[in-house]
Amino acid sequence: MDSERSIANERLYDTTMYSGSAYPFYRKYSMVLVTYGLIAFLYILILALFIIILSKSKPDGLETNINIQREINAFQNHLSQLTSKLNQMEGISYKAACETSWIQFNDSCYQIITKRSNWINARALCLGKGSDLVVITSQEEQNFLMSNTLFKNDRFWIGLSIDIGKQWKWVDATNYGASYTSWKKGEPRSDRGGFTKNCAFSWTNSEWETVQCTFDKCFAICEKKLG
């Protein structure tokens, strides 16, 4: 039953992920609009500069020719600068978009793992995708992720666990003591009922809880940085 539900949810996720404005194809489209906007501005500038040059020209004279040449040189320099900026924008537009099946928020790409597993296996799956379990650094990021999970009342592994020194640690070494947290009231708890609870998951209500890392009923969220 869980297998059938996972397959159905994966299909639902793939179908719906392209409908929102936060997804990668929309970012690519936006960057294309910016690029073409710069091109249009460049052509308008060229036209305006030539109109200015022609309006200042005289029938003949050495001084006139010198002034025209100066303005042409200045125009060429300005055109070169604009072309360089345009090339930079085009490079950003290709580099700053997430791959298909990943969703984007700020400078990170995320993928929702719809297969239930324990924390160790979930992290291994993320690492195999060139990413890691998500490191949540703000309420805005938390809200974005939970609004895009498509599941109700489900758990999602995040990249937070207790290390051998019994200290909470993010998988990317973000300073836990100075980082954002969203623990449920009474959490985090290192033990309950004699069982060690040393991995964290997030509910769709954006609250975090602790559980044994061997608990195998959680989905997961992978994250990788752009750049």
Side-chain angles (χ1 to χ4, degrees):
M1 183 64 69
D2 282 345
S3 176
E4 293 177 356
R5 183 184 177 192
S6 295
I7 293 172
N9 284 329
E10 286 177 334
R11 290 175 178 172
L12 174 62
Y13 179 74
D14 290 337
T15 301
T16 57
M17 69 169 291
Y18 297 101
S19 62
S21 62
Y23 297 119
F25 88 98
Y26 181 81
R27 181 176 179 84
K28 289 180 181 178
Y29 181 72
S30 298
M31 295 305 297
V32 169
L33 289 180
V34 171
T35 300
Y36 280 107
L38 284 174
I39 293 174
F41 173 76
L42 186 59
Y43 280 118
I44 293 173
L45 180 62
I46 292 172
L47 180 60
L49 286 174
F50 271 111
I51 291 174
I52 291 173
I53 291 172
L54 291 174
S55 67
K56 291 183 178 181
S57 64
K58 298 178 182 179
D60 51 24
L62 178 61
E63 183 178 353
T64 298
N65 292 334
I66 292 175
N67 289 336
I68 290 176
Q69 187 61 48
R70 286 175 180 171
E71 294 194 27
I72 290 175
N73 291 339
F75 162 72
Q76 290 175 334
N77 290 334
H78 196 58
L79 178 61
S80 177
Q81 293 174 6
L82 287 176
T83 302
S84 177
K85 291 180 180 179
L86 179 59
N87 291 334
Q88 292 176 7
M89 288 295 297
E90 289 177 341
I92 292 172
S93 70
Y94 288 112
K95 183 172 67 174
C98 295
E99 301 169 23
T100 302
S101 81
W102 293 76
I103 56 177
Q104 185 169 342
F105 179 77
N106 291 337
D107 296 326
S108 289
C109 301
Y110 306 87
Q111 188 174 87
I112 310 301
I113 303 302
T114 58
K115 179 181 178 180
R116 298 182 191 275
S117 65
N118 61 45
W119 192 89
I120 300 298
N121 289 340
R123 188 181 185 195
L125 186 57
C126 289
L127 290 171
K129 295 175 178 289
S131 60
D132 209 334
L133 285 172
V134 63
V135 175
I136 302 174
T137 59
S138 69
Q139 186 64 55
E140 292 75 19
E141 183 181 16
Q142 175 78 47
N143 292 341
F144 170 80
L145 293 172
M146 293 302 100
S147 68
N148 283 283
T149 56
L150 300 181
F151 305 103
K152 298 298 182 182
N153 299 319
D154 268 311
R155 309 173 182 89
F156 296 84
W157 289 123
I158 61 177
L160 185 61
S161 64
I162 291 179
D163 62 15
I164 57 176
K166 297 184 178 180
Q167 300 294 320
W168 285 101
K169 182 178 179 180
W170 287 105
V171 291
D172 70 344
T174 292
N175 183 356
Y176 171 76
S179 66
Y180 163 83
T181 59
S182 184
W183 292 110
K184 180 180 178 180
K185 185 176 181 180
E187 294 280 7
R189 297 177 64 173
S190 59
D191 66 88
R192 183 183 299 155
F195 295 101
T196 300
K197 294 176 174 288
N198 52 2
C199 285
F201 65 83
S202 179
W203 282 95
T204 46
N205 60 7
S206 298
E207 291 182 331
W208 304 352
E209 292 188 41
T210 53
V211 71
Q212 290 175 281
C213 292
T214 55
F215 182 73
D216 61 359
K217 302 299 182 183
C218 289
F219 297 125
I221 303 174
C222 300
E223 176 186 11
K224 58 182 173 181
K225 298 292 186 180
L226 286 169

